[in-house]
Amino acid sequence: MSKLTWLSTVLVVGGLWAALAAQSGTGGGTIQGNVKSSDGAAMEGVIVSARAADRSFTTSVFTDRLGNYTFPSLDAVQYKVWAQAVGFEAGRSEFALGGGRVERSLTLTALKDTDRIVKQMSGVEYLASLPQSTSADRRMVHAFKNNCTGCHTASYPLQNRWDSTGWGILVDLMTVFPSSGVPVPAMRPTADNQGNRTTAAYRDELAEYLGRVRGDTQLSNLKLRPRPSGEATQVVITEFDLPRTDRPLHFDDGSDWSMGTPSRFIGRAAHDVWADAEGIIWMADDMVPHRTFARLDPRTGKVTDYALPGPDGKSLGTHSIVVDHLGKVWAAAEDDNFAMLNPKTGEMKSFPRPQGIKGEVGGTLDVDSKGNPWATSRNGAIKLDAVTSQYTYYEGPPAPEGYCGGECGGWGTYGITVDKDDNAWVTNPGLDRLLKVDSRTGKVTAVNLGPLATPEVIVIDRQRQLTIRGSQNGAVVGQRAPRRLAADPNSDRVWVALYTGDRLARIDTKTLQVKEYPLPTPYSSPYATAVDKRGVVWITTMNNDVLTKFDPKTERFTEYPLPTRGTEIRHVQVDNRTDPPTVWAPYNRTNKVVRIQFRGPATQQQTRAAR
């Protein structure tokens, strides 16, 4: 494409978007401008964010090849606007927007202080920047990623420096601290307890390596990700605040990259999200008091909480959420039962499991075509009949003989999805396998993935995989650890995030054949997947502050960078009412829910449907 043709296309698409955005606005104005570096060069792929003084959401866009940016129509109020790029001082402006157009050009100055640049980096940039010139060092980067980033992004610990003693103490703490932040002594490995043995097994190696490369010396060979271009910049990103009931929003919510990755225990809130038939967003929350379900109205940004008391009188927390075809909101509650909210009637209830049933309701769930919720259970899956309230437990086959030294006990499940034939699929991260539950016969079939064959894996890693039970939060080098997954509602495919394997897996639901696709950015740690009505797969990544798209037709990935550091997205869903679909995800570290809309000629239907 010639430069002239490209420019004409940009002008046409930009003009269409401006016209459509004006239709969707409230009689406000438009903010546009240019971003350049201090040497006068245009900067493409810079995130520019705008926040109104009296609003609970932030809107962000990207600069194009010429450094230009344009926001959709915004309400006429006071605004703060800022532009950020890794390696540069942020550019900022504040002004009142009237009913017309405001031009604001920003200049970004390159940073010379390595400490300040490092503070801005995402998890994958930290991991890629760790010294790894030898196979032994590369192995330790994988060991760190597999065992120290299961509950948080790599940028959180690596933005700090300690000697080997300090790093050893941190690794010890991680063996007894789950993501809730409440110590669990039973997690510590003992002769009679599997505990967190994989992390403990790598403890001394990790302490030595991290003390050497992230101790007194600063990272010197920084591996920064290139800024986005082309398709990845043709989006409008809206980040909605999700306030907690027990504390005000913290000043450090990841919006200012120069402050580094914030603490999750200040900002942790929504774990999962789901868009209903009206475009309302429902959220599960396993941390905030007085919140079992939460409702977000995207038109206003208003959040409404619903609290369901548990056995101790305190409101139940929830980990996962889904809306069925009748509009009922189902959740996996922390009392190991299903919980349900009917927004139409206001009914909210828990479904206690009868005494004697073997399984419990685990952390993630899905719903079948009849409206029956399914959830992971310790060694398989569990289903609730939505009409009779009867539970059915499906246990998976035991671990292969000799695996975990014959002492696996419960071998752990994490993700679940229901395919178009109402069969449930469950992941066993520690065993590198999936389970298929035939809903008609009750038969449970194991689909084994097998270990990765990479140069960094040595004999002791293979031995540990056979003798120590791993998980999605602690895995030996060479393990895949399938985490969350999603079925294509229109085909015989299930898409699985291979967390420690840095791959996306496609499984044929009929033949059980598996095909894997390496993610475009190393060390990303794919966490969850969703499939939209076109069959396009959306992937979240723990160590990379992006949402990733995979088009099965072209087998091409596209990464959409996000305006916040420390997003730690554990779930992703799509609103198929729009064309192209709108993508939603929760930031589990920074009290936000994000919406991604796509610019271009097809945006008119999307914009109108989202109103």
Side-chain angles (χ1 to χ4, degrees):
M1 180 184 293
S2 69
K3 185 175 181 180
L4 180 59
T5 303
W6 173 87
L7 183 58
S8 299
T9 302
V10 169
L11 291 173
V12 170
V13 172
L16 283 169
W17 172 256
L20 296 170
Q23 294 174 16
S24 66
T26 58
T30 300
I31 302 173
Q32 62 184 46
N34 181 268
V35 177
K36 61 183 179 181
S37 60
S38 54
D39 61 3
M43 296 183 67
E44 182 182 12
V46 174
I47 295 178
V48 186
S49 302
R51 174 83 175 203
D54 60 347
R55 300 294 189 270
S56 60
F57 52 86
T58 300
T59 305
S60 298
V61 296
F62 290 87
T63 57
D64 63 17
R65 286 176 57 185
L66 303 179
N68 297 322
Y69 70 89
T70 303
F71 281 91
S73 181
L74 300 171
D75 292 340
V77 292
Q78 187 77 13
Y79 279 90
K80 291 182 179 180
V81 172
W82 63 98
Q84 294 185 100
V86 177
F88 292 83
E89 187 87 44
R92 303 181 184 276
S93 182
E94 187 170 354
F95 52 86
L97 176 64
R101 176 184 303 169
V102 172
E103 296 272 353
R104 278 295 183 275
S105 293
L106 301 168
T107 300
L108 306 189
T109 302
L111 294 172
K112 298 181 180 180
D113 186 342
T114 300
D115 281 323
R116 296 182 66 191
I117 298 174
V118 166
K119 205 72 171 175
Q120 298 177 337
M121 296 194 313
S122 62
V124 291
E125 290 172 318
Y126 273 99
L127 290 166
S129 299
L130 290 175
Q132 45 193 295
S133 58
T134 67
S135 178
D137 280 356
R138 289 192 296 273
R139 174 175 171 269
M140 292 318 301
V141 176
H142 285 285
F144 176 85
K145 182 183 76 70
N146 287 10
N147 292 280
C148 303
T149 67
C151 299
H152 55 73
T153 177
S155 62
Y156 185 55
L158 289 178
Q159 65 187 347
N160 304 290
R161 288 188 279 177
W162 290 279
D163 60 16
S164 58
T165 300
W167 282 110
I169 292 172
L170 288 176
V171 176
D172 289 338
L173 284 173
M174 284 190 293
T175 65
V176 294
F177 272 80
S179 62
S180 66
V182 180
V184 180
M187 289 178 59
R188 181 176 284 115
T190 67
D192 301 318
N193 174 35
Q194 280 284 326
N196 194 351
R197 288 191 176 182
T198 54
T199 301
Y202 287 99
R203 188 261 189 205
D204 292 342
E205 294 176 279
L206 284 169
E208 186 281 327
Y209 174 73
L210 293 170
R212 173 163 49 89
V213 304
R214 202 70 185 110
D216 293 335
T217 58
Q218 177 57 281
L219 297 175
S220 57
N221 187 21
L222 301 185
K223 302 292 186 181
L224 305 182
R225 298 293 302 159
R227 293 193 300 273
S229 61
E231 178 186 352
T233 65
Q234 294 301 304
V235 293
V236 175
I237 301 175
T238 309
E239 296 173 312
F240 297 87
D241 294 346
L242 181 56
R244 292 179 58 126
T245 62
D246 57 341
R247 63 185 64 169
L249 289 174
H250 197 264
F251 69 93
D252 183 9
D253 65 354
S255 297
D256 184 346
W257 299 354
S258 67
M259 298 182 70
T261 300
S263 169
R264 185 183 181 204
F265 302 113
I266 295 173
R268 180 177 175 184
H271 193 281
D272 282 19
V273 298
W274 202 281
D276 70 15
E278 304 299 323
I280 296 297
I281 304 303
W282 294 92
M283 296 168 284
D285 193 317
D286 58 1
M287 180 56 64
V288 178
H290 313 298
R291 179 185 289 161
T292 303
F293 305 91
R295 177 186 186 273
L296 168 67
D297 187 339
R299 295 166 296 185
T300 63
K302 180 182 178 181
V303 175
T304 305
D305 295 322
Y306 300 81
L308 177 63
D312 58 0
K314 298 180 181 179
S315 60
L316 290 172
T318 50
H319 191 266
S320 184
I321 198 165
V322 64
V323 181
D324 69 18
H325 65 288
L326 298 175
K328 294 180 181 179
V329 183
W330 293 92
E334 63 184 359
D335 65 347
D336 298 332
N337 296 313
F338 286 110
M340 184 274 293
L341 167 66
N342 188 337
K344 297 177 182 178
T345 65
E347 179 188 18
M348 183 165 47
K349 61 183 295 187
S350 177
F351 294 82
R353 289 167 293 117
Q355 290 186 351
I357 191 167
K358 190 173 182 180
E360 74 288 332
V361 175
T364 59
L365 83 162
D366 200 359
V367 66
D368 65 25
S369 64
K370 301 177 182 64
N372 301 316
W374 291 71
T376 56
S377 198
R378 179 168 302 183
N379 294 334
I382 193 167
K383 181 184 75 169
L384 176 73
D385 188 304
V387 176
T388 66
S389 299
Q390 179 180 349
Y391 277 90
T392 306
Y393 172 65
Y394 303 87
E395 185 168 19
E401 185 177 355
Y403 207 89
C404 310
E407 300 178 356
C408 280
W411 43 93
T413 58
Y414 194 84
I416 190 170
T417 190
V418 178
D419 66 24
K420 70 179 184 64
D421 299 317
D422 278 349
N423 300 311
W425 292 77
V426 179
T427 61
N428 285 152
L431 300 183
D432 275 351
R433 77 176 187 183
L434 293 93
L435 304 175
K436 177 186 178 181
V437 182
D438 189 312
S439 62
R440 292 178 295 277
T441 66
K443 180 182 178 181
V444 182
T445 303
V447 180
N448 296 298
L449 301 176
L452 290 169
T454 60
E456 291 77 27
V457 178
I458 61 177
V459 173
I460 193 172
D461 299 318
R462 295 298 186 212
Q463 292 174 341
R464 286 171 178 170
Q465 189 166 26
L466 290 176
T467 58
I468 304 174
R469 187 190 70 187
S471 72
Q472 69 280 355
N473 293 331
V476 301
V477 178
Q479 192 168 331
R480 282 178 166 82
R483 195 152 191 166
R484 299 189 75 167
L485 68 172
D488 187 332
N490 301 309
S491 75
D492 298 326
R493 291 177 174 179
V494 167
W495 296 92
V496 191
L498 303 183
Y499 189 72
T500 57
D502 283 328
R503 286 164 165 78
L504 174 68
R506 184 192 74 197
I507 300 179
D508 188 299
T509 61
K510 305 296 187 185
T511 66
L512 307 186
Q513 290 184 332
V514 181
K515 183 174 182 178
E516 296 183 5
Y517 303 87
L519 263 67
T521 302
Y523 309 124
S524 291
S525 297
Y527 197 111
T529 62
V531 185
D532 68 26
K533 62 185 178 183
R534 307 164 300 173
V536 170
V537 185
W538 292 91
I539 311 150
T540 75
T541 51
M542 179 63 77
N543 285 314
N544 201 2
D545 293 317
V546 303
L547 278 172
T548 302
K549 181 180 75 174
F550 178 75
D551 187 338
K553 294 179 180 178
T554 61
E555 297 190 343
R556 177 174 174 265
F557 288 93
T558 304
E559 293 179 330
Y560 295 88
L562 298 166
T564 294
R565 278 291 171 264
T567 53
E568 290 187 11
I569 300 175
R570 288 162 161 79
H571 190 239
V572 58
Q573 262 303 321
V574 292
D575 183 353
N576 281 317
R577 299 175 311 129
T578 63
D579 192 13
T582 301
V583 183
W584 288 89
Y587 295 172
N588 198 236
R589 178 174 285 270
T590 54
N591 284 75
K592 301 176 189 177
V593 175
V594 67
R595 177 183 69 191
I596 296 185
Q597 296 170 296
F598 299 87
R599 290 184 139 165
T603 309
Q604 185 167 11
Q605 179 183 350
Q606 181 188 45
T607 302
R608 288 175 176 171
R611 291 177 62 181

